[in-house]
Amino acid sequence: MDYRFLPKKGLSLFVDGLLKDFKVYGPVKMDGFPVYEEVSSAKELLLMHSPSHITPKKYLFPQRETLLRFKTGEKPQVEHAADADNQVLFGIHPCDIHAIRLLDRVFAYGTPDVNYLRRREKTIIIGTECLPDKFCFCRSVNTMTAANDFDLFIHDIGAGFLVKIGTEKGKELLFRHVKTRKATIKEISKLVEFHKKKESMFTASINAEPSTLPLIYSGSYDSPVWEEIGKICYGCGSCNLVCPTCYCFDVRDDISLNMKDGERYRVWDGCLLEDFAKVAGGHNFRKTRGERLRHRFNRKFQFQVDKFGGLFCVGCGRCSRACLVNINIVEITNKLIEERETGKKE
Amino acid sequence: MKKDIKVNVEHITRVEGHGNIVIDIKNGRIKELRLEIVESPRFYEAFIRGRRYDEVQHIMSRICGICAVSHTSASLKAVESAMGIQITKQSALLRKLAFHGEVIQSHILHLYFLVIPDFFNVGSIVPLASSRPDVVRRGLRLKKLANEICSIVAGRHIHPISLFPGGVTHLPKVSELKALKKRLEDSFEDLDATLELFRSFRVPQFSKKREFISMKEDGEYAFYSGDIYSSRKYSRKPKDYKKVIKESIVPYSTAKHAAAKKGPYMVGALARVNNNFKQLSKRARDAAKGLGITTYPYNPFMNNAAQLAEVYHCVEDAIKIIDRLISEGLRKEELKKPKKHGTGVGIVEAPRGILFHEYAIDKNGIVTEANCIIPTAQNLGIIEDDMRNFIPSILHKTREDITRDVESLVRAYDPCISCSTHIMDVRFED
Amino acid sequence: MESPYLLRQARIERITRLTEKERLFRLVFEDDKTLGHVPGQFIMLSIFGAGEAPISVSSPPDTRNEFEICVRVVGSLTNVLHTLLKGSTVGIRGPYGKGFPVKEIENKDILLIAGGIGLVPMRSLIKTILLKRGAYGRITLLYGVKSPEDILFKDELDEWSKVPDFDLRITVDKPHPLWKGHTGVVTRYLPELKIDAERTAAVIVGPPVMYKYVIMGLGEKRIAGHEIFLSLERRMKCGIGKCGHCQINSVYICQEGPVFRLSDIRRLREAI
Amino acid sequence: MTKNMPKPKVAFFSFTCCEGCQLQVLSCEDELVDILNLIEIVNFREAIDEKRDDYDIAFIEGSVSRQHEIEEVKKIREKANVVVALGACSSTGGLNCLKNKFPMEEVKKVVYGEKSKYYKYFDTIPARPLDAVIPVDYYLHGCPITKSEFLNVLKALLTGKRPDMPNYPVCVDCKMTGNICVFEKGKTCMGPVTRAGCDAICVTYGAVCWGCRGTVDNPNTESHEETLRIYGLTADDLVRSFDLYGGWNKYGGSK
Ligand SMILES: Cc1cc2nc3c(=O)[nH]c(=O)nc-3n(C[C@H](O)[C@H](O)[C@H](O)COP(=O)(O)OP(=O)(O)OC[C@H]3O[C@@H](n4cnc5c(N)ncnc54)[C@H](O)[C@@H]3O)c2cc1C
Ligand code: SF4
Ligand code: SF4
Ligand code: SF4
């Protein structure tokens, strides 16, 4: 892997360069909290922080996205909408890089989802390191570092930035806008040191090997946990909406007031919301909040794993952070692990 | 001319809220004449008791959808005065900006939706949408601009969100303000066209001397701050409002009537323009003159002209405020905290005239007593007076024409009946 | 790359009112390509402005560019569909999903159990089987509806009942003054059926509540799980395995279903 | 090619309220001309003189709070094919129901004075939502309604669709908008039990969700009370929060 060294002042030059050809989105502070927004200079970027409250997946899979544009009438007409701008996602943390890798897989398998893939194609991903807070547990699900799936990865090593090159496209962009030199072994080792330090910073962790989690979850279908947390859960779907790997959606039509043209669009949906699995006739296949929670947790640790390979939780802790009643994915998972272990003992 | 005429307009249209006009003329003499307010009373002053000081503006805003910013502002000012809260300059500027949005919105709505149909002799703007689409679209453009001012500052016009005790909870973006300024500047073309249109209308000639009460402030045309001022040349501090105004109930109205020492008085755009003419912006003064406000008109029909002049003023002043906000730079500010408790009065010039809110707040920040005096309630007495004096001059007309003319008269006041149904401190006419 | 949400346009060529709530629509593609479906598959039907919904194909595979659907009025799209006139254009994508194992069940006795509009996809299967009548054994169709007015395809049921070795039993949920036939839920008639479990394949399509009891009944008849096929209904928004609505555990109904072999999903919690 | 339908006739009525929701309709500045092409407005006292009784769709704003209003809304129900409750006052009773927890004589006295007891004119009945009096087909929630929801319902009615009404809490809108949850800032919020559809505009503009749209179908109110308590609300505060827009169910009302 190719590592380059970018001097301190090079960063703003680089961002300015990117801004010429791309919309650039990155982590910034809003009301004191990290969020992703469009940025217009490097100095707005929040380059070393815990995860953002809302995920950057919105730039690849927007909250509301037009799929088709149509004209009604005798002979309806329809065209595919694929509005995607060239964009740079700057400051994507390893967990989110992994999440994007998973979304790539979901939207590409079987019948490819052109809307997502077209956006993805036009997106440059520039990763950065981060600081775990009390909800982060990426170390427990092997997503603390990202080896690839980015175009560039930039890490602040004091005197300047260590830039890891992930793709040719990334390299070309870097070289086009700023002067860098080959990083020294010493500089590269700073990243390793940082990872060591980061590893020691986690307060949350799952008490089992990631590879055992699908089995633990499949054995916990009838655990009393689901009903317990179902009682306190609001069914507000916050956990779904902030999760970087939740991708369910609803499809709706909007017709304009002339009643002649309109669009078909999709919006984020969430399996915790009451009507998610309701069908015509009123039957709800996951009526209780407990059932819906079980479904969501299992999607992260079992169902999608069966289907796509790899855990679908990247340990960002956002769902726990967003949950008003403190339903914590690490605690629940540990509880299930414990139930299983004590169950075995008996 | 001795004739018998009965006019009974149930639920007068193109006004805010429910009111009836009842006129009974026997032998050419008025036997009975009433403006009945049949809007259901809602008892805001009663149920606001027990609520916390930082919910008051949210609740009191709901007194009226059309002057929600005014009620919110009066309410905030009363609470802030009761609790010793001094808001920052920036907050005051933003609140004033939203206030201008409301005045423009309300006046344009009145002029274009409620009044213009009378001049075109149609029942609403609906037929105008096809016969005079230019007029309708212009009205809608101006109204939209007014809505945008409120949206950018306060989230929306109807029940503004970010106006909060201690300041404002949201800052507009500089880019939004710049875009808004551009649109405000562009709107003069539409305003001038509006002015031309209203110049072409024939305003009924009717004049009767009266007292005008409004706010007055040194240094600026008073909407958001100032003292109580009367055309009879006296002024009072806001807290002394009860010394100026007395309310009474009449058995056919859920809105109370108000009177000053010398009887009924008029509030609203005409009162303000008459009392504070010199402080209007340049273009506003020109517009006022262009519409015939050269002397000190007592003709209530001139209220429409005064409204249009005020729209000019608000647009110009809004541009000034935006310039100031941008040049001074927008800063995030914490809401100012209460320092004490007690009683406080807040007054503002709502689009329809001076508006009073007063609360008593206890040491836990809970409202224990409240009183509001709404502009339309203050105008009810003078409206009836005017009807009484106006009718003889139109008695020669047909019943339909009389009805229409009287309705126009009532409408000229732009009465806002839905909010005029809650008033306190009653004195009965025994 | 083409968007999977794009549609083929089809013209409504015939509308037949079957009941108060259900109508049969014969659709013809604007181009001359066939739909190319197998019985049990579904399409995504759409009307611009009203939305999109999964609907089973009700006609048997056809070499022409035509097919039929039967739709019950329940909500947005279905309401608007029922106001359309002959000649209107609708959008179609699909066919999607896995259908009934028409080939595999050849040479077997076929037990068909349908509830309500479950008969709609079943009709496609029945017609396919009848086209090759000789390849199948005895056919039994147990059809349950709420009341006599809800019976779909009355004429066709009549015809089928005249086919040799076709045992048709219709039952209505509640006793009805004008109804002389069977009453009660379909499961009531399972015990009295003469079934050679060894050579029978069963197919079930109906409302969610029906499955559990029918499966129990079939168990008593000793029909093996791998000889029982059922079509599951879930909410669906994309039809291509993305939107997540139809997911049961690791299974996406729109991809691996809607027709499943019972033995494959017996352990799939939440499936039945 | 749907069956040819004449322009539907639409009426707007207003009962006990601030008329803000009707005004919100008039605030559809960009759409108003198109709307007038699609429907025929036959009754809209705030904006037009015409008052006809041959309407298909009635939008009714305001709570019912006087005896004669009961008769009036019943008459409207008889004439209209579709009745849409316009805004919080008519959908859930809205703020008006706050007065229900005080005795009538008391509120009369507070507002109109001691002698008001001699005047029947000021008498009201407990304020109530429309569906406490007549069946309602669709609801437009919110104080005030949102323009986009109004337009969506109108378009749905015109296309024959069933209008969508979100059955998920405001937290969803908040997350979609990208707001930071106010609980993170130490404030409290009614959003987790309140029906969405407002784009969480109050949170976006720096306030909290007040609950004006009423609750979702199955709100977890126990959990919410617990959360609010944890965040420091007193028993009084709790009552106040749930009262503000939930007064009808709390004080005497049921459907
Ligand atoms: C694989 C598959 C095959 C299918 N095949 C067929 C078929 O062949 N024929 C067929 O008719 N259906 C079929 N369905 C069901 C069909 O997809 C649904 O009926 C359809 O999606 C309804 O769409 P809609 O837009 O009309 O309803 P929607 O507007 O989406 O309404 C759906 C939901 O809203 C509820 N609802 C509807 N009206 C109201 C109301 N007034 N008030 C409150 N709630 C209401 C319904 O109960 C339902 O829960 C099939 C489903 C699947 C999954
Ligand atoms: S499940 Fe929770 S912790 Fe895991 S990726 Fe999603 S939001 Fe992050
Ligand atoms: S965020 Fe918490 S309360 Fe909301 S749905 Fe998820 S688990 Fe339930
Ligand atoms: S601010 Fe309120 S509505 Fe928004 S997420 Fe938080 S609790 Fe929910």
Side-chain angles (χ1 to χ4, degrees):
Chain A
M1 187 83 51
D2 201 358
Y3 285 96
R4 310 286 305 175
F5 177 83
L6 173 70
K8 241 322 54 137
K9 60 180 189 311
L11 186 73
S12 68
L13 272 178
F14 182 44
V15 173
D16 287 347
L18 293 174
L19 279 164
K20 281 185 207 132
D21 304 314
F22 298 93
K23 278 195 175 314
V24 179
Y25 302 95
V28 298
K29 260 205 169 136
M30 184 173 84
D31 300 343
F33 298 89
V35 296
Y36 279 89
E37 284 292 335
E38 188 171 353
V39 292
S40 54
S41 76
K43 65 173 192 291
E44 296 168 29
L45 290 166
L46 195 63
L47 285 185
M48 187 58 86
H49 210 281
S50 50
S52 64
H53 280 242
I54 308 279
T55 88
K57 83 175 169 198
K58 63 182 175 181
Y59 299 115
L60 295 167
F61 172 53
Q63 290 94 321
R64 183 195 201 276
E65 177 175 28
T66 307
L67 300 174
L68 301 175
R69 290 202 179 79
F70 57 76
K71 283 194 169 56
T72 59
E74 200 89 355
K75 285 270 163 280
Q77 285 163 25
V78 59
E79 65 178 35
H80 171 215
D83 326 295
D85 287 332
N86 287 321
Q87 58 181 357
V88 173
L89 307 188
F90 205 114
I92 304 296
H93 298 175
C95 58
D96 284 335
I97 292 175
H98 282 280
I100 292 172
R101 168 178 58 84
L102 292 169
L103 291 185
D104 289 352
R105 220 182 277 175
V106 167
F107 284 109
Y109 101 106
T111 312
D113 185 282
V114 182
N115 286 67
Y116 176 91
L117 296 177
R118 181 133 343 146
R119 269 208 172 71
R120 181 66 182 90
E121 216 175 79
K122 295 187 159 192
T123 303
I124 303 289
I125 292 183
I126 301 181
T128 53
E129 270 304 339
C130 57
L131 292 173
D133 67 5
K134 65 175 180 183
F135 294 107
C136 292
F137 60 102
C138 53
R139 192 189 51 168
S140 304
V141 287
N142 293 342
T143 54
M144 193 189 85
T145 59
N148 28 43
D149 302 298
F150 50 75
D151 296 285
L152 294 170
F153 194 97
I154 298 187
H155 179 56
D156 191 341
I157 52 170
F161 297 92
L162 183 69
V163 185
K164 197 167 163 184
I165 294 185
T167 62
E168 272 309 305
K169 215 157 57 173
K171 183 175 178 174
E172 192 272 323
L173 275 176
L174 182 72
F175 281 42
R176 177 159 14 133
H177 294 300
V178 278
K179 277 214 176 67
T180 57
R181 63 162 167 77
K182 212 168 155 50
T184 62
I185 302 284
K186 212 168 152 218
E187 282 158 354
I188 297 171
S189 68
K190 292 237 166 133
L191 183 60
V192 185
E193 277 165 39
F194 177 79
H195 286 153
K196 276 222 185 77
K197 194 174 118 206
K198 182 165 148 187
E199 210 163 333
S200 70
M201 291 167 77
F202 289 89
T203 52
S205 75
I206 291 180
N207 305 328
E209 275 302 305
S211 59
T212 63
L213 292 173
L215 208 63
I216 287 167
Y217 268 87
S218 71
S220 301
Y221 193 90
D222 296 309
S223 163
V225 163
W226 307 121
E227 207 189 314
E228 280 163 31
I229 57 177
K231 259 203 200 101
I232 58 170
C233 169
Y234 280 112
C236 70
S238 294
C239 49
N240 289 130
L241 300 171
V242 299
C243 176
T245 71
C246 273
Y247 56 84
C248 293
F249 57 85
D250 192 10
V251 178
R252 298 180 200 153
D253 279 12
D254 187 18
I255 194 161
S256 49
L257 264 174
N258 59 24
M259 294 286 158
K260 288 198 186 90
D261 48 54
E263 58 178 40
R264 179 160 294 163
Y265 63 97
R266 66 171 161 212
V267 284
W268 290 358
D269 207 336
C271 60
L272 260 299
L273 304 178
E274 187 174 355
D275 295 349
F276 186 82
K278 220 185 208 170
V279 292
H283 189 84
N284 193 342
F285 288 94
R286 282 185 293 274
K287 208 173 167 152
T288 68
R289 299 187 184 97
E291 288 166 337
R292 302 204 288 273
L293 278 164
R294 177 175 61 203
H295 182 74
R296 174 164 195 277
F297 279 69
N298 270 294
R299 260 178 78 106
K300 302 299 155 188
F301 294 108
Q302 189 202 164
F303 302 160
Q304 305 318 80
V305 187
D306 291 354
K307 207 166 161 57
F308 298 104
L311 292 182
F312 254 64
C313 171
V314 296
C316 68
R318 284 190 180 96
C319 53
S320 312
R321 210 175 274 116
C323 183
L324 284 170
V325 292
N326 303 321
I327 295 174
N328 184 303
I329 194 162
V330 174
E331 284 170 20
I332 300 302
T333 306
N334 284 340
K335 206 162 178 181
L336 297 179
I337 295 167
E338 199 189 308
E339 273 175 15
R340 208 171 147 77
E341 280 168 359
T342 50
K344 259 186 200 154
K345 269 182 219 146
E346 274 161 17
Chain B
M1 205 178 314
K2 310 221 159 171
K3 62 177 175 184
D4 291 352
I5 293 180
K6 263 198 175 163
V7 174
N8 204 334
V9 182
E10 203 175 307
H11 291 188
I12 169 170
T13 57
R14 287 185 279 130
V15 299
E16 266 263 323
H18 298 77
N20 302 340
I21 297 173
V22 178
I23 303 168
D24 188 2
I25 297 167
K26 276 250 160 63
N27 254 334
R29 293 193 46 186
I30 299 171
K31 246 194 81 202
E32 236 190 319
L33 180 149
R34 295 195 304 271
L35 177 58
E36 290 183 351
I37 303 302
V38 292
E39 186 80 17
S40 300
R42 290 181 295 155
F43 305 105
Y44 273 74
E45 293 103 322
F47 67 60
I48 195 68
R49 296 170 310 149
R51 307 297 311 192
R52 227 179 31 227
Y53 77 96
D54 55 355
E55 307 170 308
V56 177
Q57 84 289 346
H58 177 89
I59 296 173
M60 296 314 254
S61 167
R62 269 81 184 160
I63 288 177
C64 176
I66 198 165
C67 23
V69 175
S70 301
H71 281 285
T72 303
S73 304
S75 172
L76 287 172
K77 287 182 69 185
V79 166
E80 285 164 355
S81 139
M83 304 189 88
I85 302 171
Q86 190 80 45
I87 64 165
T88 64
K89 242 198 293 177
Q90 176 179 288
S91 297
L93 280 177
L94 286 167
R95 286 190 190 174
K96 280 183 184 171
L97 187 55
F99 208 94
H100 284 329
E102 168 153 299
V103 176
I104 302 171
Q105 142 83 30
S106 175
H107 285 354
I108 290 293
L109 180 79
H110 184 236
L111 295 171
Y112 269 93
F113 282 65
L114 314 184
V115 173
I116 278 188
D118 282 344
F119 289 109
F120 284 101
N121 231 331
V122 289
S124 74
I125 62 150
V126 177
L128 287 183
S130 39
S131 65
R132 287 300 301 271
D134 57 322
V135 172
V136 173
R137 286 194 189 275
R138 192 193 310 130
L140 289 170
R141 266 198 305 275
L142 287 168
K143 195 167 138 1
K144 184 177 174 198
L145 172 66
N147 265 334
E148 278 172 3
I149 303 176
C150 293
S151 301
I152 287 169
V153 180
R156 62 186 173 212
H157 162 240
I158 302 163
H159 309 323
I161 295 161
S162 67
L163 314 181
F164 226 73
V168 294
T169 58
H170 173 87
L171 289 185
K173 293 198 186 86
V174 171
S175 57
E176 289 172 332
L177 287 176
K178 283 186 176 153
L180 178 60
K181 180 183 167 187
K182 170 94 182 39
R183 285 198 295 278
L184 284 163
E185 284 167 345
D186 292 347
S187 73
F188 285 116
E189 198 179 311
D190 281 343
L191 287 181
D192 291 343
T194 310
L195 182 64
E196 274 319 298
L197 185 65
F198 272 83
R199 278 167 63 98
S200 72
F201 296 148
R202 205 187 57 80
V203 179
Q205 287 310 303
F206 164 68
S207 185
K208 167 136 193 313
K209 202 160 185 244
R210 66 199 56 216
E211 176 174 357
F212 291 106
I213 294 183
S214 71
M215 283 164 70
K216 194 175 198 59
E217 188 182 18
D218 288 344
E220 70 180 44
Y221 189 82
F223 273 119
Y224 183 78
S225 48
D227 288 340
I228 305 165
Y229 176 79
S230 160
S231 57
R232 292 180 54 244
K233 304 268 185 289
Y234 59 88
S235 80
R236 293 279 180 278
K237 290 282 164 214
K239 66 175 171 38
D240 296 326
Y241 74 103
K242 284 182 187 161
K243 291 186 184 145
V244 183
I245 295 156
K246 291 284 177 252
E247 287 185 281
S248 58
I249 62 172
V250 286
Y252 51 82
S253 161
T254 49
K256 287 177 281 189
H257 285 199
K261 284 226 170 59
K262 295 268 169 187
Y265 59 94
M266 180 170 176
V267 301
L270 188 59
R272 288 190 292 260
V273 166
N274 277 342
N275 284 353
N276 303 319
F277 189 84
K278 288 214 187 80
Q279 287 161 315
L280 279 173
S281 70
K282 171 83 173 58
R283 286 188 206 239
R285 267 175 288 150
D286 291 347
K289 285 179 197 150
L291 289 163
I293 303 183
T294 40
T295 55
Y296 199 91
Y298 287 111
N299 181 354
F301 287 101
M302 288 306 272
N303 199 38
N304 295 336
Q307 286 180 325
L308 186 50
E310 283 195 338
V311 172
Y312 273 97
H313 175 85
C314 290
V315 169
E316 276 189 284
D317 201 48
I319 293 172
K320 268 198 218 147
I321 293 177
I322 291 173
D323 283 340
R324 250 186 90 182
L325 285 168
I326 293 175
S327 72
E328 287 171 18
L330 287 157
R331 290 165 316 273
K332 184 125 195 118
E333 298 171 333
E334 290 296 311
L335 295 176
K336 294 275 187 273
K337 294 264 172 336
K339 293 204 186 80
K340 62 181 186 77
H341 62 274
T343 319
V345 174
I347 68 172
V348 295
E349 277 290 344
R352 285 155 195 75
I354 191 163
L355 166 68
F356 303 85
H357 279 222
E358 177 180 16
Y359 311 113
I361 298 175
D362 74 8
K363 62 176 191 310
N364 300 317
I366 305 295
V367 174
T368 55
E369 247 183 282
N371 183 23
C372 307
I373 303 179
I374 275 83
T376 296
Q378 300 173 62
N379 274 339
L380 288 177
I382 192 104
I383 295 177
E384 284 189 354
D385 239 29
D386 277 351
M387 280 161 53
R388 201 165 283 121
N389 289 304
F390 180 53
I391 287 168
S393 70
I394 52 172
L395 256 188
H396 58 279
K397 297 190 177 180
T398 63
R399 186 174 169 277
E400 283 67 41
D401 284 351
I402 294 178
T403 307
R404 200 200 50 220
D405 286 359
V406 174
E407 274 191 76
S408 301
L409 172 70
V410 172
R411 209 170 278 131
Y413 279 87
D414 191 6
C416 179
I417 297 168
S418 45
C419 70
S420 59
T421 57
H422 352 261
I423 310 137
M424 276 261 307
D425 186 36
V426 188
R427 272 193 39 227
F428 284 83
E429 294 172 6
D430 293 299
Chain C
M1 221 190 298
E2 191 164 75
S3 166
Y5 300 101
L6 280 173
L7 313 138
R8 292 173 70 188
Q9 307 212 333
R11 200 176 63 247
I12 300 179
E13 186 164 88
R14 196 172 61 224
I15 304 173
T16 319
R17 186 177 181 282
L18 298 180
T19 72
E20 181 98 16
K21 284 194 175 145
E22 284 103 3
R23 281 176 199 199
L24 182 70
F25 298 85
R26 181 151 198 92
L27 303 175
V28 181
F29 282 117
E30 299 288 341
D31 54 38
D32 55 10
K33 293 204 197 74
T34 116
L35 178 63
H37 73 289
V38 297
Q41 279 193 305
F42 66 96
I43 51 146
M44 292 300 282
L45 170 76
S46 77
I47 299 169
F48 292 131
E52 218 177 14
I55 299 291
S56 306
V57 184
S58 194
S59 51
D62 201 318
T63 49
R64 291 168 302 168
N65 59 343
E66 304 180 14
F67 66 102
E68 285 173 345
I69 55 172
C70 168
V71 180
R72 168 182 290 181
V73 172
V74 294
S76 292
L77 172 87
T78 48
N79 261 311
V80 176
L81 179 71
H82 279 234
T83 65
L84 292 188
L85 298 177
K86 203 176 116 177
S88 308
T89 308
V90 295
I92 305 290
R93 36 188 196 100
Y96 292 123
K98 298 212 164 65
F100 299 110
V102 185
K103 264 245 116 28
E104 196 189 318
I105 57 174
E106 275 184 13
N107 301 318
K108 295 217 155 103
D109 289 349
I110 312 290
L111 171 58
L112 307 166
I113 303 171
I117 56 168
L119 188 63
V120 170
M122 198 75 103
R123 174 176 178 258
S124 171
L125 177 66
I126 295 171
K127 291 198 154 191
T128 307
I129 289 177
L130 291 184
L131 283 173
K132 234 177 135 181
R133 179 71 192 91
Y136 300 86
R138 275 165 45 87
I139 301 172
T140 310
L141 170 59
L142 207 50
Y143 176 35
V145 285
K146 282 216 175 78
S147 70
E149 299 89 65
D150 298 328
I151 298 172
L152 298 172
F153 308 113
K154 285 198 183 81
D155 300 345
E156 296 181 14
L157 286 166
D158 253 6
E159 263 174 47
W160 298 342
S161 68
K162 288 175 200 138
V163 172
D165 262 350
F166 193 118
D167 184 5
L168 170 68
R169 299 179 189 217
I170 305 176
T171 165
V172 305
D173 278 358
K174 288 194 194 95
H176 190 281
L178 295 176
W179 181 248
K180 302 276 178 285
H182 304 282
T183 57
V185 289
V186 283
T187 37
R188 225 177 111 180
Y189 295 93
L190 279 176
E192 68 187 43
L193 291 180
K194 288 214 168 46
I195 286 170
D196 181 354
E198 290 297 301
R199 46 166 298 144
T200 300
V203 177
I204 321 170
V205 195
V209 289
M210 199 182 90
Y211 290 96
K212 207 166 124 196
Y213 300 102
V214 172
I215 288 166
M216 267 158 47
L218 293 180
E220 277 159 27
K221 288 272 165 198
R222 310 225 154 271
I223 300 179
H226 64 270
E227 294 292 2
I228 300 176
F229 300 90
L230 24 89
S231 176
L232 298 183
E233 189 193 339
R234 286 296 185 276
R235 201 184 181 95
M236 277 177 200
K237 286 297 181 178
C238 70
I240 55 170
K242 310 282 186 236
C243 80
H245 283 89
C246 71
Q247 185 172 7
I248 308 174
N249 297 2
S250 325
V251 172
Y252 278 67
I253 305 296
C254 69
Q255 305 285 291
E256 286 135 87
V259 176
F260 291 93
R261 191 191 293 274
L262 177 63
S263 51
D264 288 345
I265 55 166
R266 230 201 254 280
R267 263 185 297 275
L268 191 65
R269 307 289 294 258
E270 292 182 16
I272 293 152
Chain D
M1 205 191 299
T2 36
K3 282 162 202 160
N4 245 345
M5 282 183 277
K7 267 195 197 181
K9 299 192 192 72
V10 179
F12 290 82
F13 297 98
S14 177
F15 293 91
T16 307
C17 65
C18 78
E19 303 207 354
C21 291
Q22 286 200 25
L23 205 62
Q24 199 72 318
V25 173
L26 294 180
S27 292
C28 299
E29 290 99 0
D30 289 336
E31 297 86 4
L32 215 53
V33 175
D34 280 335
I35 293 175
L36 293 176
N37 281 330
L38 287 173
I39 59 174
E40 187 183 350
I41 300 181
V42 299
N43 206 320
F44 194 157
R45 189 197 37 73
E46 196 177 337
I48 70 170
D49 285 356
E50 202 165 9
K51 290 177 190 168
R52 274 163 49 196
D53 279 341
D54 54 337
Y55 37 83
D56 308 302
I57 304 170
F59 286 92
I60 304 182
E61 176 196 48
S63 318
V64 174
S65 83
R66 296 229 262 183
Q67 200 58 45
H68 66 83
E69 292 180 341
I70 293 184
E71 306 315 315
E72 284 166 40
V73 295
K74 281 186 177 159
K75 256 184 239 152
I76 296 170
R77 176 73 266 188
E78 266 168 36
K79 286 181 183 135
N81 294 324
V82 176
V83 168
V84 185
L86 193 66
C89 294
S90 82
S91 300
T92 60
L95 275 185
N96 299 312
C97 296
L98 280 174
K99 78 152 199 209
N100 296 0
K101 63 177 182 174
F102 300 98
M104 187 62 234
E105 287 310 317
E106 181 185 336
V107 294
K108 252 170 82 174
K109 196 171 89 189
V110 168
V111 177
Y112 296 107
E114 198 58 61
K115 288 185 188 162
S116 62
K117 60 177 173 237
Y118 304 119
Y119 294 81
K120 279 274 167 274
Y121 202 71
F122 307 110
D123 282 1
T124 61
I125 55 175
R128 60 200 65 196
L130 205 53
D131 61 9
V133 183
I134 56 167
V136 169
D137 300 300
Y138 304 111
Y139 297 85
L140 275 161
H141 291 281
C143 184
I145 58 161
T146 71
K147 282 201 275 188
S148 62
E149 267 193 310
F150 167 73
L151 294 172
N152 282 339
V153 166
L154 189 67
K155 286 187 283 190
L157 291 175
L158 293 175
T159 33
K161 256 167 66 163
R162 177 176 48 85
D164 289 326
M165 181 171 67
N167 182 25
Y168 46 78
V170 179
C171 298
V172 171
D173 283 1
C174 234
K175 295 294 181 296
M176 297 270 202
T177 312
N179 289 331
I180 297 293
C181 178
V182 302
F183 281 95
E184 299 255 11
K185 305 177 194 168
K187 293 190 270 185
T188 61
C189 181
M190 293 300 282
V193 292
T194 302
R195 191 183 294 280
C198 54
D199 294 334
I201 187 174
C202 290
V203 180
T204 310
Y205 278 85
V208 299
C209 169
W210 303 85
C212 77
R213 300 172 57 86
T215 64
V216 291
D217 286 351
N218 289 304
N220 195 341
T221 25
E222 283 119 71
S223 220
H224 196 219
E225 284 182 20
E226 185 57 26
T227 308
L228 295 180
R229 242 189 301 269
I230 291 170
Y231 278 82
L233 259 57
T234 64
D236 278 352
D237 292 335
L238 274 178
V239 171
R240 265 194 291 273
S241 309
F242 283 97
D243 266 6
L244 191 56
Y245 287 96
W248 171 245
N249 291 324
K250 217 150 177 186
Y251 298 98
S254 65
K255 286 182 183 170

